[in-house]
Amino acid sequence: MRFNRTTALVMAGTLSLGLLAACSDSDDDTTPEASGSASAPAGTDEPVTIKVAGLLPTADDAAKQQLADRVASFEDKYPNITVEPEDYEWKNSTFTTQLAGGTLPNVFEIPLTDGKTLIENGQLADIDQYVKELPYGNQFNPKLLANGQGSDGKIYAVPAKSIYAVALHYNRKLFTQAGLDPDKPPTTWDEVRAYAKQIHDKTKVAGYATMALDASGGWQLAAGANSRGGVIETSGGDGKYTATLNDPAVKAHLEWLKALRWEDNSLLPRADLGWGEINAAFGGGEVAMYTSGSDVYNALVESNGVTKDWGYGLTAIPTDNNGGALTGGTLAAVTKDSTDAQKAAAVKWIDWWYLSKLQDQDQAIADAKTRAEADPPQAVGTPVLPIFSEENYQQSQAWIQDYINVPLADMKGYTDVMFTQNLVPEASASVQDLYNALFPVVQAVISEKNADVDKLLDEANTTGQAAIDAAAK
């Protein structure tokens, strides 16, 4: 998991992508002007320097060159603004210290569900006027934008990228080697288990792996529970939250992992896999299947050597009992101590780097062309959920059709349902603490054959509820 996940709002149960496809209530449906035009955020022409969140520390040279090219184009358009990218990876273990210590770049990324808490704590800059001056400032999906708005209605962060649903990633070549049809990926957890065992028995490669390190382990355990119809937190609608880490669906997914590990010997026996580590294991051919955000293909290409011909497959996470796919994403925010000139410049950069390619054809093509022509090429066209509307998403994909280089034919198990599947929002109150309470249980199941799942979950639930109660005081 890339992100801390704590908010002041709870959205219980499942929701359809109709929420994500919602448009603004604006009556203006004209095509936006080119991003960065005279209608882009105003500001002085005084020289200003901003530091911005760049790439993962493990990004390859092609990704770094693509970023450098975009920076150069931005500075050509805005000669008074100097942009200094910094390697950036959100980590629970370091973010709070960076925020408190003032060491974050002016533009930084936070999880979709983290915005409300940071806003309430007064830790994000007010960028409302600059965002509203964007050509599309009133066209954000309101359900997503709400995560970056304060109780005063002002905007402090905007949906920026990687609005994802948790999905199942798989190695098509290992499927073939094991005698499985890669065009027919598993659709139930029982099938995932059977496929994992067959892959291990035939190829000696682990059929399945799960994140277990730090909050990542709790995040993916929650995703498994959500897919089975369970939740890790409930709310009575009165502002009070109850931890449900011992929900039957949480236990069911743990027992399923336990069976893969100790009965089938098909689970990769590593309890040290976080988001980056499991990507590396998958890219290195150590495992055939795992769950993560549906957008992770970009990172696999940029940091883990995966190419279009590598054999990557993507399909929807299995669901039953009215379960759904856990969703999340990224907000772009600006540091509280940024000057007004830096705030204006920061929103120009957010527009340029994250959003203009979704709204303006020239920017969309420029970004896609730069990525596609990098050496090696970077991923273009990875399916993600829409920041604005489904119609806008389809239009932006059409603009870059000539540059799309991801194996969309091998992602149909996901793309066929991405606009219709049930989506489950993350828990709200103290969710990071809930994830942190859960990951030791995942590690225990992987490391201890006789791990007492009931006892471990009850203890985790007590810890999680204590965190919720402490935060409410």
Side-chain angles (χ1 to χ4, degrees):
M1 187 195 67
R2 284 101 73 195
F3 307 122
N4 181 11
R5 290 163 154 85
T6 49
T7 77
L9 294 180
V10 67
M11 298 168 63
T14 60
L15 65 162
S16 74
L17 197 60
L19 294 178
L20 287 177
C23 298
S24 77
D25 56 6
S26 169
D27 292 327
D28 182 6
D29 59 359
T30 58
T31 301
E33 295 177 10
S35 193
S37 68
S39 58
T44 69
D45 291 328
E46 297 176 2
V48 60
T49 298
I50 55 171
K51 296 181 179 180
V52 302
L55 305 172
L56 293 170
T58 54
D60 62 20
D61 290 342
K64 293 175 183 177
Q65 185 60 53
Q66 191 259 344
L67 173 57
D69 290 343
R70 294 292 287 161
V71 169
S73 297
F74 177 85
E75 292 179 340
D76 283 344
K77 189 168 191 65
Y78 302 106
N80 64 305
I81 303 174
T82 299
V83 175
E84 298 179 354
E86 297 181 353
D87 286 350
Y88 187 86
E89 180 179 8
W90 193 98
K91 287 188 176 181
N92 177 44
S93 58
T94 59
F95 177 77
T96 301
T97 300
Q98 291 173 312
L99 183 64
T103 59
L104 289 170
N106 297 96
V107 177
F108 61 100
E109 299 171 3
I110 57 175
L112 189 70
T113 50
D114 205 37
K116 289 290 185 180
T117 297
L118 293 174
I119 293 168
E120 290 176 358
N121 292 341
Q123 294 172 298
L124 303 182
D126 174 359
I127 55 175
D128 187 76
Q129 71 176 93
Y130 307 110
V131 174
K132 288 180 177 176
E133 289 170 1
L134 290 168
Y136 49 84
N138 64 347
Q139 295 177 18
F140 286 97
N141 176 338
K143 296 293 184 180
L144 294 179
L145 184 62
N147 292 280
Q149 290 178 300
S151 58
D152 57 4
K154 291 185 176 181
I155 299 170
Y156 293 82
V158 295
K161 67 174 185 179
S162 302
I163 308 301
Y164 63 83
V166 171
L168 182 69
H169 309 265
Y170 65 100
N171 185 319
R172 292 173 58 87
K173 291 183 178 178
L174 284 173
F175 269 48
T176 299
Q177 291 172 24
L180 298 167
D181 185 347
D183 292 328
K184 296 180 179 179
T187 59
T188 68
W189 285 114
D190 285 344
E191 286 184 347
V192 173
R193 180 181 176 181
Y195 281 36
K197 187 176 189 307
Q198 184 166 330
I199 289 167
H200 179 262
D201 290 349
K202 297 286 187 179
T203 71
K204 305 307 178 185
V205 175
Y208 192 84
T210 187
M211 297 181 205
L213 182 66
D214 298 333
S216 299
W219 172 47
Q220 283 308 292
L221 176 56
N226 294 155
S227 76
R228 296 172 182 270
V231 293
I232 63 170
E233 182 182 270
T234 61
S235 171
D238 56 359
K240 296 181 180 179
Y241 302 93
T242 301
T244 56
L245 305 188
N246 50 6
D247 184 294
V250 179
K251 179 181 177 181
H253 201 66
L254 283 166
E255 293 289 359
W256 181 84
L257 290 169
K258 193 175 182 180
L260 266 67
R261 171 71 175 96
W262 300 105
E263 295 177 27
D264 301 346
N265 197 31
S266 61
L267 183 73
L268 188 66
R270 289 181 58 182
D272 63 342
L273 297 175
W275 183 80
E277 291 83 2
I278 204 166
N279 290 346
F282 181 73
E286 292 181 52
V287 61
M289 293 181 285
Y290 74 113
T291 58
S292 186
S294 53
D295 61 326
V296 81
Y297 183 76
N298 282 20
L300 292 172
V301 171
E302 293 177 5
S303 299
N304 304 112
V306 172
T307 65
K308 185 175 181 179
D309 299 324
W310 182 88
Y312 171 85
L314 175 68
T315 193
I317 190 171
T319 58
D320 57 39
N321 196 31
N322 296 316
L326 180 64
T327 189
T330 301
L331 295 171
V334 180
T335 52
K336 177 78 173 179
D337 59 355
S338 296
T339 65
D340 287 344
Q342 286 177 321
K343 292 176 190 176
V347 173
K348 285 188 173 79
W349 174 254
I350 290 170
D351 165 51
W352 184 270
W353 179 242
Y354 298 105
L355 299 173
S356 61
K357 59 190 174 184
L358 303 178
Q359 287 284 345
D360 177 73
Q361 184 172 3
D362 290 341
Q363 290 290 342
I365 292 173
D367 179 78
K369 185 174 186 292
T370 302
R371 293 183 65 85
E373 294 179 355
D375 184 18
Q378 300 301 289
V380 178
T382 300
V384 293
L385 301 179
I387 287 175
F388 298 101
S389 68
E390 180 180 345
E391 181 182 15
N392 166 263
Y393 174 80
Q394 300 291 10
Q395 177 64 75
S396 63
Q397 289 292 93
W399 286 335
I400 63 172
Q401 182 63 45
D402 291 343
Y403 298 99
I404 290 176
N405 58 12
V406 303
L408 288 177
D410 299 333
M411 300 177 174
K412 285 180 59 62
Y414 176 74
T415 57
D416 283 353
V417 302
M418 64 182 283
F419 293 114
T420 58
Q421 66 179 340
N422 285 336
L423 298 177
V424 183
E426 289 187 284
S428 296
S430 303
V431 67
Q432 184 67 29
D433 295 302
L434 301 186
Y435 289 154
N436 280 323
L438 281 174
F439 85 79
V441 187
V442 181
Q443 292 184 328
V445 164
I446 294 173
S447 305
E448 303 170 23
K449 185 174 183 178
N450 297 316
D452 188 334
V453 171
D454 287 321
K455 179 181 178 182
L456 290 168
L457 285 179
D458 286 342
E459 292 173 349
N461 198 63
T462 299
T463 299
Q465 188 61 53
I468 291 173
D469 295 341
K473 293 180 179 179

